Amino acid sequence: MEVDKINQNDIRVIVADARNLPFAAKCDRVLADVPCSGTGTLSRNPEIKWRLTPADLLELQSRQLAILRSAMERVAAGGSPGLFHLFAGARGK
């Protein structure tokens, strides 16, 4: 789909707990912004290893899985089940 052909009425932004979305409608595409642990930045941010416990990582994994499952339940038949892993971070700091 080309960006210039997207009708603004085709896009809805919802602020909610992504594990329990407040609607039952099915969508052609679903974008899930799943939280990360930050452990990929340990070389630049070594203090992370002192803040995170094994229990924190297990809880985060459970939250990530719940968000992905919730997103997948909202994909319409024939829709795009592709989930995107968004990687956003500041470079050069």
Side-chain angles (χ1 to χ4, degrees), residues 36 38 40-45 86-93:
C36 74
T41 65
L42 282 173
S43 63
R44 291 189 315 272
N45 303 297
L86 298 180
F87 186 78
R91 295 226 175 240
K93 288 192 175 187

Side-chain angles (χ1 to χ4, degrees), residues 18 32-38 59-61 63-65 67 85-86:
D33 184 7
V34 182
C36 74
S37 65
E59 193 280 326
L60 179 61
Q61 179 186 21
R63 187 179 328 149
Q64 290 169 332
L65 187 56
I67 291 170
H85 179 189
L86 298 180

Side-chain angles (χ1 to χ4, degrees), residues 16-35:
D17 182 339
R19 296 169 289 187
N20 300 299
L21 294 171
F23 63 92
K26 300 290 184 171
C27 306
D28 292 332
R29 289 178 176 78
V30 175
L31 174 65
D33 184 7
V34 182

